[in-house]
Amino acid sequence: MLAADEATRAFEAERPRLVRLAYRMLGSFGEAEDVVQDAWIRWRQVDHAAVASPGAFLSRAVTRLCLDVMKSARVRRETYFGTWLPEPLATTPEEDLDDDITLTLMLALERLSPLERAAFILHDVFGVPLDDVATTLEREPPAVRQLASRARKHIQAAKPRFPVDREEGARIAKAFFEASASGDVAALRAMLADSVVVHSDGGGKAHAFPRPIIGIERVSRMFEGAARKSWIQQARKLRDLWIDGLPGYFSVEPGGAFQTVALEIENGLIVGIYFTRNPDKLGRLVERFGGGVASPRPH
């Protein structure tokens, strides 16, 4: 049986992985950390002598808690104002990515059933054996195999056929910021694919477009209007980042509004632009990279 301090150390050793698992399930660090805290309470109450593997036990507890949270989360997202994007998982260019799930894949995961999402994340992302996934989901292994297979088919289109080289991604993100901050719409247009789509998440608390903007003509007009209104013009970049596996950056506007920008790139052109401006989703980045800039506020 594990002593109390040994049980605590075992949990803390698993905590980063558990938070990452819960985030991949929920798309929110706040909800992920709440789930992991609930798992900690369960861990304190369990008979540790009966636990063969703390990691497996805790993964199972976190997954089941996430499945419960996902029921209410889906209802909240149905009433969310405008486009919902996952809370940015940001890494600096010097940091390694934990996995190959991109922002576009995170959005594709939103279209799966909770059980499909759990089966895919546990097996395909975290490498949990199918028999253990079946135990976690309280399903027979053949049923879990079908869940994971259906999930792969649903998200296949969201996987990049040619993942962008990190140097190329950084170069394009830098050029995109410079053109947008200076209001150079012609330079911006030259970077865009004809089918480019802009997604912006303000959550009703910051300026954002309620629906995606599709196509190079409409997106170019959006940038022309943004330049006139100084929405993104004269912004100050706070940090180059990779946001859920996509190149981008964290910036602040003269009025004090923060945002992350993530770019989906194919064949050297931008096919997707993701603005996250909801201040509720940016607090962690403000703490880490804000450099003393005032906290984000609605405008």
Side-chain angles (χ1 to χ4, degrees):
M1 179 175 180
L2 294 174
D5 57 342
E6 293 175 325
T8 299
R9 285 196 295 270
F11 181 87
E12 291 303 325
E14 294 291 333
R15 183 188 290 274
R17 185 181 62 84
L18 296 174
V19 172
R20 188 162 61 92
L21 168 61
Y23 168 77
R24 291 305 187 194
M25 289 283 291
L26 302 172
S28 163
F29 280 110
E31 290 177 341
E33 290 179 340
D34 288 345
V35 160
V36 172
Q37 187 61 28
D38 287 344
W40 162 243
I41 294 171
R42 295 190 179 195
W43 177 243
R44 291 179 60 189
Q45 297 170 344
V46 76
D47 177 7
H48 299 115
V51 177
S53 168
F57 174 90
L58 291 167
S59 294
R60 190 171 301 131
V62 164
T63 300
R64 289 175 178 172
L65 287 165
C66 284
L67 289 172
D68 291 338
V69 172
M70 289 170 75
K71 296 174 185 176
S72 59
R74 290 201 164 206
V75 173
R76 291 197 304 275
R77 286 170 197 171
E78 288 174 359
T79 59
Y80 191 83
F81 183 86
T83 298
W84 179 91
L85 296 176
E87 184 176 343
L89 172 58
T91 53
T92 66
E94 298 78 25
E95 294 172 328
D96 293 330
L97 303 178
D98 288 326
D99 53 47
D100 61 357
I101 290 188
T102 63
L103 177 55
T104 51
L105 273 174
M106 284 290 287
L107 292 173
L109 290 173
E110 287 292 310
R111 298 193 288 270
L112 303 179
S113 73
L115 288 176
E116 287 172 341
R117 183 167 183 159
F120 176 81
I121 290 173
L122 288 171
H123 182 257
D124 288 47
V125 179
F126 285 82
V128 178
L130 272 175
D131 287 349
D132 291 346
V133 177
T135 300
T136 297
L137 301 184
E138 300 179 320
R139 299 290 190 279
E140 293 298 320
V144 171
R145 191 173 292 108
Q146 288 185 342
L147 285 171
S149 177
R150 285 203 301 268
R152 287 186 212 106
K153 291 177 182 177
H154 284 316
I155 68 173
Q156 194 64 40
K159 286 188 175 181
R161 288 173 296 174
F162 307 103
V164 63
D165 176 79
R166 286 177 74 85
E167 288 188 7
E168 180 190 21
R171 176 184 60 78
I172 293 174
K174 180 176 183 292
F176 179 88
F177 172 78
E178 291 173 350
S180 60
S182 64
D184 190 342
V185 177
L188 284 167
R189 184 184 177 100
M191 302 178 205
L192 306 178
D194 289 343
S195 58
V196 64
V197 181
V198 170
H199 308 261
S200 57
D201 178 347
K205 299 182 178 183
H207 177 75
F209 300 101
R211 290 176 296 278
I213 300 174
I214 302 171
I216 191 169
E217 296 302 331
R218 295 185 65 197
V219 171
S220 295
R221 288 197 295 272
M222 179 210 80
F223 279 117
E224 289 171 358
R228 287 195 300 271
K229 298 174 183 178
S230 296
W231 171 38
I232 54 176
Q233 192 174 2
Q234 299 178 359
R236 178 161 65 93
K237 186 195 294 183
L238 299 174
R239 195 67 167 86
D240 292 310
L241 294 172
W242 284 76
I243 299 166
D244 267 311
L246 299 184
Y249 53 86
F250 182 47
S251 63
V252 61
E253 297 167 17
F258 291 90
Q259 69 177 11
T260 59
V261 180
L263 304 175
E264 182 183 1
I265 298 166
E266 290 183 3
N267 298 319
L269 295 175
I270 298 169
V271 297
I273 305 171
Y274 301 86
F275 294 98
T276 299
R277 299 172 56 82
N278 184 344
D280 293 343
K281 299 183 179 184
L282 300 176
R284 295 169 185 275
L285 294 182
V286 173
E287 288 182 9
R288 187 177 180 189
F289 304 117
V293 180
S295 298
R297 61 179 182 273
H299 71 156

